[in-house]
Structures are given as C-alpha cells and as structure tokens.
Amino acid sequence: MITNLLYRSETTLQPKDPKLKAILAQARHRNSNMDITGYLHWEDGIFHQWIEGPEAELQIVERHIYGSKSHHGLTVLGRNVVPTRQFPDWDMALGLSEENSLFNFIATHEAGTADHQEYAKAVLAFMHAQSGTQVR
C-alpha cells in the first residue's frame, strides 16, 4: 500500500530563485533514495505538492516539509492510503504557473476550493493534465 499527501502552502520563493532549484534537487535525491514520488506546483507564491510512498518514509519527508523555512501556512488537503501511485515515474515533477495555471484550471472546471476533498481532486486532476498521465 502507498500513502499519499496533498498540501498547499505559501512561499516567497520565485521560479527562478536558486533556493527553489536547490530544494527541488535535494528533494529529488532524497525521494529517489526513499521510494517517494510526487509533483510540486508553484503558482503566485503558493505551493501545491503531492507526495506518495511507503508510510514510514513519507513520515520522514513530512517532518522535513513541516520544518522547512521555505514556506508557511501549510494546509493538508488530503492524505490517503491507496494501492497504487499517481506519479510512479517521477521522483519530483515541477510545474510552474508561468507555463500553466492551476487557478485557471480550477475556474474552468468549476471546481470548488472551500471543500478540501473537492479541491484536492481538482488539484490532482490538474497535476495529471500537466504531467501527461491519467488520473488513477
């Protein structure tokens, strides 16, 4: 079984910030060693991140995320245990609003943002659309 986590948080980092690139490189290295996969989307100072993997390893990554000073205001949108991964081939994909907008996707798909479950489904559908994979 695979545990997944979807959260949103606020950041002052910008897409071309070397700190964001360093964080992404560290996450990719750590995730590949810990069998963690996922997708990070940056838009207008907001991170949305989906991470997934074995429960024990995901808890280690979560502690790192919660302790990071690169973002604040973390809100968990969903956490589940499922049989398969959503992003099995990616140690950590990156999406930027400069290329595609999550906020526009949500508006055009008439997804609500007040209900965390509905919002989480829309965010995951957006990530899949950007990655070229199908929602599982």
Side-chain angles (χ1 to χ4, degrees), residues 12-103:
T12 58
L13 297 175
Q14 296 296 309
K16 295 182 181 177
D17 190 325
K19 290 180 185 177
L20 180 58
K21 292 178 183 182
I23 290 168
L24 188 60
Q26 289 173 340
R28 286 176 172 160
H29 177 73
R30 179 193 61 231
N31 291 354
S32 67
N33 290 333
M34 297 178 76
D35 196 26
I36 300 290
T37 56
Y39 190 105
L40 174 67
H41 181 75
W42 178 97
E43 185 162 341
D44 195 26
I46 305 290
F47 283 139
H48 285 85
Q49 185 173 27
W50 175 276
I51 55 174
E52 57 193 2
E55 175 67 26
E57 286 78 1
L58 191 65
Q59 286 180 0
I60 293 167
V61 173
E62 279 183 79
R63 285 193 296 272
H64 179 77
I65 289 169
Y66 294 142
S68 174
K69 295 188 184 330
S70 64
H71 62 145
H72 62 280
L74 191 143
T75 301
V76 173
L77 300 173
R79 182 179 176 77
N80 298 291
V81 177
V82 295
T84 61
R85 293 175 187 265
Q86 294 291 323
F87 301 102
D89 299 327
W90 290 0
D91 46 19
M92 186 54 58
L94 176 65
L96 302 171
S97 66
E98 295 171 330
E99 300 159 3
N100 294 295
S101 172
L102 168 62
F103 301 142

Side-chain angles (χ1 to χ4, degrees), residues 1-16:
M1 297 301 283
I2 297 295
T3 301
N4 60 49
L5 170 72
L6 175 63
Y7 73 87
R8 74 176 295 280
S9 62
E10 298 172 38
T11 184
T12 58
L13 297 175
Q14 296 296 309
K16 295 182 181 177

